Amino acid sequence: MSPDQLPAVFLGHGNPMNALDRNRYTEAWAAFGRSVARPRAILVISAHWYTNATAVTAMPHPRTIHDFYGFPRELFEVRYPAPGLPELAEQVADVAHPRWVGCDTDSWGLDHGTWSVLVHAFPDASIPVVQLSLNAFEPMDYHLELGRALAPLRSDGVLIVGSGNIVHNLRAVDFDMPDSGYDWALRFDAAAREVLTRTPTQAAALDAHPDFAAAVPTPDHYLPLLYIAGLADTEPLVPLVEGHCAGSISMAAYQLGGVAPAPAEGAGAPGLPTGVPPVDSNM
């Protein structure tokens, strides 16, 4: 990493209730935010903008999207009024060439994969934020290579954040396991750590792991990791915080470049409020 490059980070965001909670994961996000030089802008690849094209938000004032239901009113009242940065959308399209990247001026905004982590990392919401969508029709290697193409942005004051979960199987959640994981979840998380801390570009090949189908039943939460792995190329990622919740969700976070803050201690991630069905929670 050159002296003028900003770090990049993958954050396991988990349950939207993390936006309101303080635990070892949210403390790690906050510590990361305090540890980096103030960026010109933040580019977020969130699991929750999983759509039929590659696009970036290009509105000057992106709305806060509450893309879930059944949660407490307090969560729906959260606003993250960060400005947008339309010129960054144009930069993303330029560095991604020859891949086509559309500019979304009015339909999306900042979903909870973005604001639930940024409310802790950058709570004053004064830094411009742009989201990059996940193209559901492209293979894993496309996302890895697009991540690599974004590298010049790091030298131009842009902090790149991937927000998802390495293990994310909502149909297997068990909130009687609030701070632990199933054996298959632990195995896949360990395999991912081995790759990410040694040869991160091999993260796209983890779909051959025997526990991949259980750990990643849908690709949306896994794909943001590939953007940070692509940026890393041959540089190892450093664990920022590790752990599991509800048996089938990894909360692991990884940092690329810079000096990672010491792992936070404290409580695990919150459970779902009573009455919220996990398969429909958009965690």
Side-chain angles (χ1 to χ4, degrees):
M1 175 176 159
S2 65
D4 61 340
Q5 275 189 330
L6 282 171
V9 68
F10 172 80
L11 302 176
H13 67 247
N15 184 344
M17 293 299 292
N18 279 303
L20 303 178
D21 201 40
R22 291 189 64 177
N23 53 60
R24 68 174 179 272
Y25 306 111
T26 65
E27 291 297 324
W29 307 341
F32 171 78
R34 292 190 298 268
S35 74
V36 299
R38 181 179 173 87
R40 175 174 70 92
I42 302 171
L43 177 66
V44 183
I45 303 99
S46 164
H48 294 280
W49 196 14
Y50 184 63
T51 186
N52 62 356
T54 304
V56 281
T57 54
M59 63 284 291
H61 302 288
R63 64 193 176 102
T64 303
I65 301 172
H66 299 87
D67 48 330
F68 42 74
Y69 67 89
F71 285 82
R73 180 177 177 181
E74 184 181 8
L75 192 60
F76 288 91
E77 292 175 346
V78 173
R79 295 291 181 273
Y80 193 77
L85 191 64
E87 55 263 43
L88 177 55
E90 296 175 6
Q91 278 187 276
V92 171
D94 286 343
V95 298
H97 186 78
R99 304 166 191 85
W100 180 86
V101 179
C103 289
D104 175 8
T105 60
D106 57 10
S107 66
W108 203 244
L110 305 181
D111 59 52
H112 83 265
T114 292
W115 56 259
S116 69
V117 297
L118 294 188
V119 293
H120 296 285
F122 302 99
D124 67 0
S126 63
I127 301 169
V129 180
V130 168
Q131 277 200 218
L132 173 64
S133 74
L134 296 168
N135 190 329
F137 293 107
E138 297 291 353
M140 287 198 180
D141 283 342
Y142 169 91
H143 300 280
L144 190 80
E145 293 301 323
L146 180 52
R148 183 181 282 117
L150 299 175
L153 300 177
R154 296 175 61 202
S155 297
D156 195 26
V158 178
L159 174 68
I160 301 176
V161 177
S163 178
N165 298 96
I166 293 173
V167 177
H168 185 266
N169 187 333
L170 292 186
R171 294 190 178 276
V173 296
D174 181 354
F175 284 103
D176 289 330
M177 302 173 66
D179 204 17
S180 60
Y182 297 114
D183 288 347
W184 53 262
L186 298 176
R187 286 194 301 266
F188 187 76
D189 218 29
R193 176 182 174 137
E194 179 74 10
V195 166
L196 295 171
T197 57
R198 292 178 180 268
T199 54
T201 54
Q202 295 301 308
L206 281 168
D207 60 353
H209 190 278
D211 294 308
F212 181 83
V216 187
T218 60
D220 46 346
H221 279 71
Y222 188 74
L223 292 178
L225 174 68
L226 298 185
Y227 287 77
I228 308 305
L231 284 166
D233 200 4
T234 59
E235 183 180 351
L237 299 177
V238 177
L240 187 62
V241 67
E242 298 182 278
H244 294 77
C245 70
S248 62
I249 298 171
S250 166
M251 294 296 294
Y254 288 85
Q255 181 170 331
L256 170 63
V259 179
E265 298 181 355
L272 287 176
T274 302
V276 177
V279 295
D280 295 322
S281 69
N282 273 327
M283 291 164 61

